[in-house]
Every structure is written in C-alpha cells, then in structure tokens.
C-alpha cells in the first residue's frame, strides 16, 4: 500500500545506514511489541487496530448516528492529542471545506484548542440557533483550554434545552477512572467513552478520542481501522524490507549527519491538518533531553512561493519528507485556440501530470540544493490509506524515539507552561510560585 523512496538520500548519509542500525531497530521493535521499553505503559496503540474494545466501538457508531439525527452541529472540544487526529482525518477524508459542503451530516467545529476570546465569540455566533451536541475530550480531564470552552458551551446547552436535553447532547471522552471530567460526566450522567490508560494523547486518534467525531462526519471507521490493522500486521515483521524500519533509520542517520529539521511536505490542501497531527506526534515524542528533529510542514506548491527560497538556499539544516497521494478524479487542461497565455503545450494534459512534474522538479531542485528527500507514496486518499498512514507514522515515531534513546511516550516539557499559567492565574496550591514568577516578569 505504501511506497517509500529513499534514493534521494544518496551522498547525505553513509551507504550502510540501515544495516548499521539493524540491531538497534530490532531492540526498538521488541520493546514496542513487548511494551517493556521506556514509556512501555503507553504502548497500547501498537496492537490497538486488532485489540480495540469492540463493545465501545459499536457504542461510538451508535452515538455518531444519534448525533447525526439529533443535531446540526457537533462541537468537538479538546486540545493537542485530544483534537488534532480527528481534525486531520476529517479534513483528509471529508475535505477542509467540510462545513461548507452540502451533506446530511452535522457541521463540525473544533473548540477549546486555544484561549482566543474572538475565536470563541465567533464560534458562539456560528453555532447560532442550531441544535448542537458536544463531544468534550480530555484524557486528564483537567486541561484548562477545553475545560473553559466546555463550561461555556455546556451552559449554553443547558439554557437552551434544560439539564435533561443537555445531557442527551453531551458526550465525554476521558480517563475511565480519574480526573475532573470523569467526575463531572458521572455526576451529570453523560454518555462516556474511554481514553485507554495505555494510549497517550498523541497516539489516540484510533480510540474514541478520534473515532467519535470522525464517525459523525460520515467516515467509515471500520475502513479506517482496517487500514491501520493492515499496517500493524505488515510493520510487525522486522527487517531491512520493513518501510518503517527504513524510514526510522533514514531519519536517525540524517539527524546524525547534522540535519535538525524534518519538513513534511504535502501537495494536497486536505493534508494540512494531517501535517499538524504529525508535528505533534514527532515533536512531543522526540523533542526532549536536548535532542530531536524539529518537525515542520509546508504545503506545496503554494509554499514554494513563500518558503521555497529558504528551502533551496537557506541554512542547510533540513531534509524533506514528501507525502504524495494519487488523485481521485481527473481534470484535463483546456485548449485555447489563441494560446494567449502560451500554455497550449499543456492542452489536454491532466492537471495531475502537471502536479507530478512540479513535485519531481521540486525534489530534484531541493536535493541539488542540499536538502535530502524521502518520498512516501500512497495510492489514494481513502479511509483505508489514511488508517494505514496513521499507524505507519506512529510506529516510525516509536522506533525513532528508541533509536534516539529518549522516552517517546512522555511529555514532561508540556507541564512547564501549565504550572506557570496556573500560578499566574492564582490557582489554589500555586501561591508561592505565583510570587516567584511575578517577581521575574
Ligand atoms: O499528547 C498529549 O499528551 C497532549 O497533547 C495532550 O493530548 C493535550 O495536552 C491534551 O491533554 P488532555 O487530553 O489531558 O486534555
């Protein structure tokens, strides 16, 4: 299903970069399979496409149907790993213009992923008088951004439909035993879905965290899980032929050869949020202990006209990973008898042919400019392919973290800003820290 082309790394990394890492990769793959490496308690995602909770999966499908029938809008409230996966998949499979399209599924808005007053007011306005449901998603159940947004929209819902009507429209995805949201959901009687203990936020898109909103958008979540399962089965066979091993080895070799940035490039506007999801996955997993490739993204060809100059000739610190999908449809470039724009050499050619040559030309130019290239080719933008790609990147990320000798499943750095914010906001328990921080400001 996935084709990986690493030929454009020649000259940038030693010829034997994969062989040189086979032992380390064997060890990394064993730790993932046996859940006994650093952060092993959070490697439940490795077998999730096979071992997911079937009963909960059926409840997700039923809840999605109910939301589709009951509401014109679904508000998905969450941040980081509790939102990016759903947004990525919905953009990819239903279009970034999903809300603007004619459809028989609800509009979906994402809230609680920032603290902008203007964005919040605009969202309240956009929802307007329409019937809406809420999916509040927070594994810890204590994250400030989604908690604030939930307080606001829960209140709106209760004013509109009363407590009972609101209860009918609120779905809570959180830890199965702990946290403020769990307590609230129990007390209010919301339908609950679990973020499994052994799956961290950024690896949770194939749990209820991602699956409920994705199913509400009308995506076939069985197909999505099927694609992920196919990846799981193929990638669990170790060795030099395994594309996840190849990509993880290449990333590590490039990092050791001095490349500090991995630029993920897509040619589809629908891929933009997938790249955001990917950035969180790799950034939070590898960026620690003073190590890690910085994950960045660009959307081509648009960004060739803004970032292209830097990529071609700026600081030589990056390599590029291009993800390419075969198009679903075909569009032929029309002929102009007067050829006023001089484009008739393209008349009758598919737009995809032009895009292909743009991609090939760009890869060659960037490689000549000192930017090594990894090309990932997928046959289509389909639920199966997206499921496959999600698992592929998750698995590569796990292997890569272990090659780098970091714990790819924790995120201690995320806590620093949270503690400072709580202290500055005057949260009880942070009094001493508040004084200390204010003296520094
Ligand atoms: O990957 C992670 O762990 C984070 O990005 C979290 O998903 C994010 O901070 C949101 O946390 P929570 O789901 O606990 O609200």
């Amino acid at each position: 299903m996935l084709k990986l082309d690493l030929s454009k790394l020649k000259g940038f990394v030693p010829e034997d970069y994969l062989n040189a890492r086979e032992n380390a990769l064997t060890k990394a793959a064993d730790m993932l399979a046996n859940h006994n490496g650093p952060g092993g308690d959070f490697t439940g995602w490795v077998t999730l496409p096979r071992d997911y909770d079937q009963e909960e999966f059926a409840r997700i499908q039923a809840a999605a149907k109910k939301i589709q029938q009951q509401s014109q809008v679904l508000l998905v409230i969450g941040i980081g790993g509790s939102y990016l996966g759903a947004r990525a998949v919905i953009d990819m499979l239903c279009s970034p213009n999903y809300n603007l399209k004619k459809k028989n599924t609800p509009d979906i808005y994402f809230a609680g992923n920032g603290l902008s007053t203007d964005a919040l007011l605009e969202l309240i306005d956009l929802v307007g008088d329409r019937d809406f449901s809420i999916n509040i998603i927070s594994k810890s159940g204590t994250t400030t951004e989604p908690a604030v947004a939930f307080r606001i929209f829960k209140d709106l819902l209760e004013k509109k439909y009363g407590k009972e009507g609101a209860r009918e429209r609120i779905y809570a995805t959180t830890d199965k035993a702990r946290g403020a949201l769990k307590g609230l959901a129990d007390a209010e009687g919301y339908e609950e879905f679990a973020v499994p203990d052994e799956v961290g936020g950024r690896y949770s898109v194939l749990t209820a965290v991602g699956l409920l909103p994705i199913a509400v958008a009308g995506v076939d979540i069985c197909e999505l899980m099927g694609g992920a399962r196919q990846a799981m089965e193929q990638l669990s066979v170790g060795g030099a032929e395994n594309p996840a091993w190849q990509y993880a080895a290449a990333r590590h070799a490039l990092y050791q050869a001095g490349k500090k940035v991995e630029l993920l490039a897509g040619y589809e506007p629908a891929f933009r949020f997938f790249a955001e999801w990917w950035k969180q996955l790799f950034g939070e997993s590898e960026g620690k202990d003073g190590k890690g490739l910085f994950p960045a993204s660009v959307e081509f060809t648009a960004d060739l006209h803004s970032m292209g100059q830097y990529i071609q000739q700026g600081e030589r610190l990056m390599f590029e990973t291009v993800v390419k999908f075969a198009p679903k449809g075909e569009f032929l470039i029309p002929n102009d008898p007067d050829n006023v724009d001089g484009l008739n050499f393209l008349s009758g050619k598919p737009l995809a042919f032009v895009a292909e040559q743009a991609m090939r030309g760009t890869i060659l130019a960037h490689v000549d400019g000192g930017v090594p290239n990894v090309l990932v080719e997928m046959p289509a933008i389909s639920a199966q392919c997206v499921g496959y790609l999600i698992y592929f990147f998750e698995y590569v990320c796990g292997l890569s973290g272990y090659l780098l000798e970091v714990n790819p499943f924790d995120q201690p750095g995320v806590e620093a800003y949270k503690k400072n914010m709580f202290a500055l906001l005057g949260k009880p328990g942070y009094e001493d820290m508040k004084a200390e921080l204010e003296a520094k400001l």
Side-chain angles (χ1 to χ4, degrees), residues 72-90:
Q72 293 154 290
V73 172
L74 172 68
L75 283 181
V76 180
I77 302 181
I79 195 165
S82 288
Y83 118 93
L84 282 167
R87 182 144 192 198
V89 174
I90 293 170

Side-chain angles (χ1 to χ4, degrees), residues 32-33 35 39-51 196 198-200 202-207 228 232 235 281 285 390-399 402 408-409:
L32 290 178
H35 313 286
D41 288 348
F42 294 96
T43 49
W45 57 271
V46 175
T47 51
L48 189 70
R50 183 193 63 209
D51 300 337
E198 60 285 4
V199 180
R202 58 189 174 275
Y203 292 84
S204 68
V205 52
L206 299 175
T207 71
M232 183 194 110
L235 303 179
L281 179 68
S285 300
I390 286 171
Y391 190 91
F392 173 74
F393 281 127
E394 287 180 347
Y395 194 70
V396 168
C397 190
L399 292 177
Y402 285 153
F409 307 112

Side-chain angles (χ1 to χ4, degrees), residues 130-188:
R130 291 182 289 171
D131 191 304
F132 70 98
S133 291
I134 297 176
N135 183 198
I136 166 74
I137 309 168
S138 177
K139 183 171 184 181
S140 63
T142 53
T143 309
T144 310
E145 293 91 333
V148 169
F150 182 54
R151 181 181 275 217
I152 292 159
F153 285 104
K154 171 180 177 280
D155 188 51
L156 284 178
L157 212 48
E158 287 178 353
K159 286 203 175 98
K160 203 167 169 183
Y161 300 107
K163 273 243 169 225
E164 187 51 41
R167 178 177 306 129
E168 280 294 300
R169 291 171 173 80
I170 296 177
Y171 302 82
T173 307
T174 189
D175 189 275
K176 66 178 185 308
R178 286 177 299 266
L181 178 59
K182 168 69 184 160
L184 180 69
D186 284 352
E188 299 279 356

